[in-house]
C-alpha cells in the first residue's frame, strides 16, 4: 500500500504562548508535532508493518521549516518525507489543503495513494477542515475522527464517534482518514530509530500560493481565565451559594 | 436580498435540537440583517410533525425523504446541499456544530468555493459577516472574516440559544433524489450505536468531571449519582480515561471534548493546561481537591479543599436534602 500522512507542527501546550502588539509571540514557544498527527502516523506505520511492500510518506506544508517534525516522523517509521515551504504565509485551511493536494498528486504522479492519513485537527487553530477539503480536492472519500480501523483487500471498516454514540462506516480505498485519540497508542522513538532516520531523505521544495485565502484572521486577543476562587467551608454553603447567587437549582 | 440556507440534521428520524436552535438563530440574524430569507434542508425520512412549534419565522423547507438517506451519506448529502445552494443562489449556509457538519462543511467549502467559518461563537450581522472563535486551546479569541461572496458557518453550541417565536409560515417542498444509487465506493454508514443513559458531555449544561483523585472506576459511581441528581453528565480528565476508568467519549480537554456547561465540577482534577483547554467556555467552575495549591483553583469560582471521597457523599446528601425542601 502507498500511504501518505499529513503532519503539521503546533506550539507545545506546555509552553507559554505570549502576546505582543496584537499577535502571538512565538519566541518562547516550542514547536511539536500536532498530537493528532502522531495517531495518524502510528496507524500508517502499523499498516506498513502488516502489509509487506507498503511505503509511508509524510507531507508537511509550512512557511518556515518543519524539519524537526519530519525527522521525528521518520524516526517513528515513515520511509520518506516531503516538505513544502511556502513563499508567503499560509493563512487558511483552504490554502494548506491546496498545497498538500498538489504535493501529493505530484509525488504519486500516476495514481493516488491508497490511504491519506491526517490528524483530526490541529491544536493551534483547531479548524478541523484540512482533511475533508483535501479529500474533496483529490476527489475521494473521507472519514473524520476515526477511533478504530480495519483494512482488508482495499476495503476499510472504520468507527468514529458522533454525538452520543458511534458510527460504523464501510468504504473503499483511496480515502482520507483523520485520526482521533484512541485509534492507537503512538510508539516512543528509540535512539536507534532516531539515528536511522538521519539516513532517510527529506525532499524539500518551495511553492507559491495559488489563491488568496478564503478566510482571514483580523484580530487576536488573549483570553484572561484567572478567577478569584472563593474557598467554601462545607457542602451546604456551596449549595446555598450556587442556588442563591447563581440560580443553579 | 440575502438567501440563507440552514442544514437540519436528523439522526434516527429525530431532528437535532442544535439544528432547530441554529434555524432560530439564523431567523434572528435574517431579521437583524433585513432583506433576508431563510430556507432549510432536511435529509432522510422523518415525521415532519415533530417540527410543529419548534421553528420560527417564514421559510421554505426542502425535504429529501428518500429512505437511502436515513443514515448519513457523505456523497449524497454533499451534492443535495450543494445543488440547493446553487439553484437558489444562496449567499450563506449554516450548520450546528456536530460530527456530521464538520464532515460536510469543508467539502462544501471547496465545491462551492465558499469561505468556511467554523466554531463561530458569534456572527456579525453586517455584510462583512465575520465571526469570533477561540484558538490556541482557548487561550486566545480570534476574529475571522470571509473573503468569498458565498459563506458557510458552523455555529458553536456556545452561542446563546435563540428564542422560538411563533407566527411564521413554513412551506415544505420535497426533493427528488432518483439519481441516487448505491453502486459506488463512497462511504456508507453500516450502523450507528447510541450510548445509553446520560446526554453527551459536549451538550450537557451541567458536568461533573473526575480525575486521578477519584482513584478508581468504582468511585465514579458517586459522580454519576451527583450528575443524575443535577440532570447533568459525567466528564473525565485524560488520566481517568487512560486509566480505563471512563470512556474516551467523556474526555474533556485538548485531545478530548470542548465543553460549555453552565456549571462544571472538577473533582480530583489538577487543572493541567491541556484539561483547561476544554473548559474555557464553562460558566461557574467548582473545584474539589485536597491540594489547596492545585492550579484548578486559579480558574475556579468556588472551591472545597478536601478529599473527594469524603466531600462527595456529603455533597450528595446535602443536595438531596436541599432539593427535597424546594
Ligand atoms: C498532547 C497532550 C494532550 C493532552 N490532552 C488532555 C486532555 O484532552 N484532557 C486532559 O484532561 N488532559 C490532557 N492531557 C494531560 C494533562 O497534561 C494532565 O496530565 C491531565 O489532565 C492530568 O489529569 P488529572 O488532573 O486527573 O491528574 P493529576 O494531574 O494527577 O491530578 C490529580 C489531582 O487530584 C488531586 N487529588 C488526589 N487525591 C485526591 C483526593 N483524594 N481528593 C481530592 N483531590 C485529590 C491532586 O491534588 C491533584 O490535583 C494532555 C497532555 C498532552 C501532553
Ligand atoms: N500545513 C499542513 N501541512 C501538513 N498537514 C497539515 C497542515 N495543516 C493541516 N494539516 C493536516 O490536517 C489536519 C487537521 O488540521 P486543521 O484542519 O488545520 O485542524 C492536521 O492534523 C494535519 O494532519
Amino acid at each position: 500500500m502507498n500511504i501518505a500522512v499529513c503532519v503539521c507542527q503546533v506550539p507545545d501546550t506546555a509552553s507559554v504562548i505570549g502576546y505582543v502588539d496584537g499577535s502571538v509571540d512565538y519566541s518562547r514557544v516550542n514547536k511539536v508535532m500536532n498530537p493528532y498527527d502522531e495517531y495518524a502516523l502510528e496507524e500508517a506505520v502499523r499498516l506498513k508493518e502488516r502489509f509487506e511492500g507498503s511505503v509511508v510518506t509524510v507531507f508537511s506544508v509550512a512557511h518556515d521549516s518543519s524539519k524537526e517534525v519530519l525527522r521525528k516522523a521518520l524516526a517513528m517509521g515513515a520511509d520518506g518525507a516531503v516538505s513544502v515551504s511556502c513563499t508567503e504565509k499560509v493563512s487558511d485551511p483552504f490554502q494548506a489543503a491546496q498545497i498538500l493536494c498538489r504535493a501529493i498528486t505530484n509525488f504519486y504522479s500516476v495514481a493516488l495513494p491508497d490511504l491519506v492519513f491526517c490528524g483530526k485537527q490541529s491544536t493551534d487553530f483547531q479548524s478541523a477542515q484540512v482533511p475533508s477539503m483535501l479529500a474533496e480536492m483529490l476527489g475521494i472519500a473521507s472519514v473524520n475522527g476515526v477511533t478504530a480501523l480495519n483494512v482488508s483487500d482495499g476495503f476499510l471498516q472504520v468507527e468514529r464517534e458522533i454525538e452520543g454514540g458511534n458510527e460504523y462506516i464501510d468504504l473503499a480505498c483511496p480515502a482520507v482518514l483523520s485520526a482521533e485519540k484512541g485509534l492507537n497508542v503512538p510508539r516512543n522513538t528509540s535512539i536507534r530509530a532516531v539515528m536511522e532516520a538521519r539516513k532517510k531523505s527529506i525532499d524539500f521544495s518551495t511553492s507559491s500560493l495559488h489563491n488568496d485565502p478564503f478566510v482571514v484572521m483580523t484580530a487576536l486577543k488573549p483570553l484572561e481565565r484567572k478567577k478569584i476562587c472563593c474557598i467554601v467551608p462545607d457542602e451546604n454553603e456551596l449549595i446555598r451559594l450556587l442556588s442563591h447567587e447563581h440560580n443553579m437549582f | 436580498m440575502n438567501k440563507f440556507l440552514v442544514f437540519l440534521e436528523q439522526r434516527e428520524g429525530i431532528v437535532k435540537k442544535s439544528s432547530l436552535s441554529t434555524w432560530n438563530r439564523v431567523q434572528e440574524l435574517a431579521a437583524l440583517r433585513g432583506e433576508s430569507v431563510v430556507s432549510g434542508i432536511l435529509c432522510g425520512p422523518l415525521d415532519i410533525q415533530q417540527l410543529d412549534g419548534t421553528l420560527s419565522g417564514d421559510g421554505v423547507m426542502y425535504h429529501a425523504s428518500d429512505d437511502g438517506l436515513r443514515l448519513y451519506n457523505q456523497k449524497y448529502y454533499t451534492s443535495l446541499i450543494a445543488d440547493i445552494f446553487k439553484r437558489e443562489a444562496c449567499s450563506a449556509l449554516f450548520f450546528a456544530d456536530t460530527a456530521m457538519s464538520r464532515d460536510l462543511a469543508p467539502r462544501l467549502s471547496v465545491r462551492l468555493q465558499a469561505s468556511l467559518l467554523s466554531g463561530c461563537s458569534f456572527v456579525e450581522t453586517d455584510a462583512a459577516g465575520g465571526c469570533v472563535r477561540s484558538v490556541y486551546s482557548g487561550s486566545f479569541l480570534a476574529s475571522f472574516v470571509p473573503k468569498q461572496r458565498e459563506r458557510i458557518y458552523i455555529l458553536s453550541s456556545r452561542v446563546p440559544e435563540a428564542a422560538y417565536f411563533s407566527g411564521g409560515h413554513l412551506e415544505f417542498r420535497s426533493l427528488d433524489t432518483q439519481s441516487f444509487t448505491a453502486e459506488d465506493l463512497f462511504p456508507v454508514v453500516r450502523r450507528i450505536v447510541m450510548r445509553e443513559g446520560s446526554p453527551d458531555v459536549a451538550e450537557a449544561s451541567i458536568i461533573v468531571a473526575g480525575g486521578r483523585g477519584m482513584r478508581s472506576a468504582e468511585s465514579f459511581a458517586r459522580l454519576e449519582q451527583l450528575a443524575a441528581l443535577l440532570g447533568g453528565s459525567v466528564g473525565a480528565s485524560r488520566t481517568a480515561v487512560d486509566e480505563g476508568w471512563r470512556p474516551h467519549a467523556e474526555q474533556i480537554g485538548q485531545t478530548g471534548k470542548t465543553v460549555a456547561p453552565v456549571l462544571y465540577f472538577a473533582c480530583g482534577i489538577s487543572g493541567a493546561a491541556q484539561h483547561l483547554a476544554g473548559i474555557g467556555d464553562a460558566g461557574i467552575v467548582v473545584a474539589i481537591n485536597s491540594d489547596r495549591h492545585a492550579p484548578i483553583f486559579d480558574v475556579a469560582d468556588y472551591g472545597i479543599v478536601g478529599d473527594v471521597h469524603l466531600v462527595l457523599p456529603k455533597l450528595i446528601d446535602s443536595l438531596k436534602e436541599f432539593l427535597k425542601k424546594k
Side-chain angles (χ1 to χ4, degrees):
Chain A
M1 289 214 287
N2 277 325
I3 307 173
V5 184
C6 304
V7 300
C8 57
Q9 47 181 1
V10 294
D12 181 358
T13 34
S15 53
V16 182
I17 300 176
Y19 179 74
V20 182
D21 300 332
S23 67
V24 173
D25 170 18
Y26 288 108
S27 59
R28 281 179 298 160
V29 167
N30 218 353
K31 290 239 174 175
V32 295
M33 187 188 294
N34 182 30
Y36 290 103
D37 300 357
E38 292 192 24
Y39 304 119
L41 183 57
E42 176 65 32
E43 199 64 17
V45 173
R46 287 188 189 188
L47 288 177
K48 172 190 141 167
E49 287 162 353
R50 239 185 78 202
F51 297 101
E52 213 176 307
S54 298
V55 179
V56 174
T57 310
V58 290
F59 293 82
S60 188
V61 171
H63 181 46
D64 48 356
S65 167
S66 44
K67 207 152 94 190
E68 298 281 299
V69 166
L70 293 177
R71 284 273 167 235
K72 174 171 174 159
L74 292 172
M76 277 178 73
D79 298 290
V82 174
S83 164
V84 185
S85 50
C86 297
T87 45
E88 301 130 88
K89 194 170 167 1
V90 181
S91 42
D92 74 346
F94 185 83
Q95 288 182 324
Q98 243 182 352
I99 298 168
L100 275 172
C101 175
R102 199 157 31 126
I104 290 172
T105 43
N106 282 346
F107 185 85
Y108 293 98
S109 64
V110 275
L112 288 176
D114 301 291
L115 280 174
V116 179
F117 280 104
C118 289
K120 183 185 81 162
Q121 62 178 205
S122 54
T123 55
D124 49 0
F125 283 96
Q126 299 154 285
S127 81
Q129 295 174 7
V130 170
S132 304
M133 285 187 171
L134 176 62
E136 176 74 15
M137 291 169 184
L138 291 168
I140 62 181
S142 57
V143 182
N144 289 327
V146 173
T147 52
L149 170 66
N150 192 356
V151 182
S152 63
D153 298 331
F155 283 92
L156 312 170
Q157 290 187 316
V158 300
E159 194 178 323
R160 70 161 180 160
E161 266 173 27
I162 57 172
E163 295 71 31
N166 285 315
E167 205 168 44
Y168 297 82
I169 303 169
D170 290 346
L171 70 160
C173 291
V176 176
L177 302 179
S178 85
E180 169 69 290
K181 178 183 178 246
L183 179 58
N184 53 46
V185 179
R187 67 195 66 196
N188 290 317
T189 47
S190 64
I191 305 230
R192 213 181 112 218
V194 172
M195 300 293 279
E196 265 167 21
R198 294 217 181 120
K199 290 184 224 143
K200 297 179 185 169
S201 71
I202 301 181
D203 167 4
F204 290 97
S205 64
T206 47
S207 165
S208 54
L209 299 175
H210 272 315
N211 279 80
D212 287 339
F214 277 10
V215 175
V216 292
M217 190 171 80
T218 52
L220 186 73
K221 63 169 199 276
L223 265 175
E224 192 48 72
R225 273 224 291 257
K226 268 212 160 37
K227 292 178 174 174
I228 309 279
C229 182
C230 164
I231 298 290
V232 294
D234 63 37
E235 303 67 34
N236 288 319
E237 179 61 4
L238 177 66
I239 294 169
R240 193 193 66 78
L241 285 165
L242 291 176
S243 168
H244 290 156
E245 303 291 320
H246 305 284
N247 281 320
M248 283 296 173
F249 16 80
Chain B
M1 176 67 90
N2 304 299
K3 285 188 159 183
F4 297 152
L5 181 64
V6 180
F7 173 75
L8 290 103
E9 172 175 338
Q10 64 77 28
R11 289 271 189 192
E12 309 193 303
I14 309 290
V15 179
K16 290 215 112 138
K17 252 170 68 190
S18 55
S19 295
L20 300 175
S21 135
T22 299
W23 168 277
N24 291 338
R25 270 191 252 147
V26 173
Q27 286 285 6
E28 270 186 0
L29 193 68
L32 289 168
R33 270 291 283 279
E35 302 207 354
S36 307
V37 294
V38 182
S39 324
I41 178 162
L42 272 168
C43 297
L46 58 95
D47 177 7
I48 57 173
Q49 265 178 0
Q50 67 180 283
L51 299 174
D52 285 353
T54 58
L55 300 176
S56 314
D58 296 329
V60 174
M61 185 65 69
Y62 296 97
H63 184 197
S65 57
D66 194 294
D67 198 58
L69 301 171
R70 183 185 296 277
L71 290 169
Y72 175 55
N73 183 307
Q74 183 176 67
K75 185 177 181 181
Y76 298 158
Y77 276 46
T78 307
S79 45
L80 271 170
I81 300 169
D83 287 350
I84 293 287
F85 190 90
K86 283 191 272 192
R87 197 174 78 200
E88 301 298 315
C90 296
S91 50
L93 170 61
F94 293 85
F95 289 93
D97 196 358
T98 64
M100 196 189 284
S101 60
R102 287 191 293 269
D103 200 78
L104 289 166
R107 285 190 169 264
L108 286 160
S109 165
V110 173
R111 201 168 295 184
L112 300 167
Q113 297 286 292
S115 295
L116 170 56
L117 297 131
S118 56
C120 309
S121 48
F122 178 77
V123 178
E124 303 278 358
T125 51
D126 61 7
C131 92
V132 172
R133 88 177 150 90
S134 63
V135 296
Y136 291 109
S137 304
S139 38
F140 289 86
L141 205 60
S143 307
F144 292 91
V145 171
K147 287 289 161 190
Q148 300 292 98
R149 206 181 66 81
E150 280 80 24
R151 289 104 194 243
I152 302 175
Y153 296 92
I154 300 181
L155 302 186
S156 124
S157 52
R158 275 152 267 174
V159 189
E161 191 142 340
Y164 162 72
F165 55 94
S166 57
H169 173 70
L170 208 57
E171 182 200 333
F172 280 85
R173 285 189 206 159
S174 15
L175 284 178
D176 179 27
T177 48
Q178 281 191 346
S179 53
F180 294 158
T181 47
E183 39 46 70
D184 49 25
L185 304 174
F186 259 73
V188 289
V189 175
R190 205 164 2 114
R191 63 195 164 105
I192 58 178
V193 176
M194 303 307 274
R195 275 186 303 278
E196 301 285 316
S198 58
D200 190 53
V201 271
E203 292 170 5
S205 60
I206 294 181
I207 294 173
V208 185
R212 193 195 299 281
M214 296 303 295
R215 282 208 297 261
S216 68
E218 291 70 44
S219 57
F220 270 84
R222 292 234 169 78
L223 298 188
E224 277 170 4
Q225 218 182 332
L226 183 57
L229 270 177
L230 298 171
S233 295
V234 174
S237 74
R238 172 154 166 182
T239 306
V241 172
D242 286 353
E243 292 285 343
W245 302 338
R246 302 305 291 183
H248 174 248
E250 288 178 8
Q251 183 180 320
I252 291 163
Q254 185 194 305
T255 38
K257 298 223 159 93
T258 303
V259 297
V262 289
L263 179 59
Y264 187 78
F265 285 89
C267 309
I269 292 178
S270 60
Q274 293 92 351
H275 185 78
L276 302 183
I279 62 166
D281 294 302
I284 301 292
V285 175
V286 177
I288 305 173
N289 198 302
S290 48
D291 174 9
R292 173 65 185 94
H293 301 291
I296 189 74
F297 287 118
D298 294 339
V299 298
D301 297 275
Y302 298 105
I304 294 182
V305 180
D307 183 343
V308 280
H309 303 95
L310 302 175
V311 175
L312 283 170
K314 284 196 270 176
L315 180 61
I316 291 167
D317 286 345
S318 304
L319 194 63
K320 274 188 191 153
E321 201 61 26
F322 180 87
L323 294 173
K324 211 173 347 163
K325 277 196 219 126
K326 265 192 81 168

